[in-house]
Amino acid sequence: NAGVMQNPRHLVRRRGQEARLRCSPMKGHSHVYWYRQLPEEGLKFMVYLQKENIIDESGMPKERFSAEFPKEGPSILRIQQVVRGDSAAYFCASSQFGGTNSEQYFGPGTRLTVT
Amino acid sequence: KQEVTQIPAALSVPEGENLVLNCSFTDSAIYNLQWFRQDPGKGLTSLLLIQSSQREQTSGRLNASLDKSSGRSTLYIAASQPGDSATYLCAVVNNNAGNMLTFGGGTRLMVKP
């Protein structure tokens, strides 16, 4: 039973380019969460999605960032016109249920470097 | 706004010692608290999840306690081993805050052989 899959594991982008990060949840999980870990900082929640719905995006920067979880395929976190401050590790987690007692399982992360 | 603090930020112990990691949170209205392990450059591995109605959970050499009213949790590691070296994170899910986890800054543990 594969865990949460994220790709790519490492991504290098120049300033102004777009970054696309992919997350495939665990089998049977329909709830996906994205978190960001900036250098020397803790993990911060970004967005919570169910299939085809954004449930909570209170942690997403207002500009340049978007997320989707289509009916088919992985969840995508998209960062447009990247800047150096976007360099971070981006983690995806999934859960089977959406209730607050549902345990979240994390992927290995995508490490984004903006040059 | 919930804030989660972990003390100490770093800890170095000789192999075989029992140790305690601390986590405190400012808003006691939580649904659950989770302890994770993060190895350098890797993702998070869930260690223990304690529901708000529970006082403790145990898994092998790990024991986590929760005192919701005082906003504290501890992770006890018995007979530490070099393989326990990692960063340990605690995170809470708040009432009325959806399903998002609020994380502490972590404790970096080094167990010396």
Side-chain angles (χ1 to χ4, degrees), chain A residues 24-80:
Chain A
S24 297
M26 285 180 70
K27 188 176 180 180
H29 288 195
S30 59
H31 301 264
V32 165
Y33 316 82
W34 286 92
Y35 294 83
R36 178 167 66 172
Q37 189 173 36
L38 291 164
E40 304 303 321
E41 291 189 23
L43 277 128
K44 298 282 194 299
F45 167 80
M46 298 182 76
V47 62
Y48 164 32
L49 310 105
Q50 279 181 264
K51 287 283 187 182
E52 300 184 278
N53 285 304
I54 296 174
I55 308 301
D56 180 354
E57 55 181 349
S58 58
M60 285 278 270
K62 294 287 187 281
E63 297 176 350
R64 303 187 297 107
F65 285 71
S66 62
E68 62 177 9
F69 189 16
K71 189 176 178 182
E72 301 291 336
S75 174
I76 307 283
L77 179 67
R78 183 180 175 212
I79 311 172
Q80 295 178 289

Side-chain angles (χ1 to χ4, degrees), chain B residues 41-52:
Chain B
K42 302 284 179 61
L44 280 69
T45 301
S46 179
L47 298 173
L48 291 162
L49 181 146
I50 311 178
Q51 310 289 3
S52 62

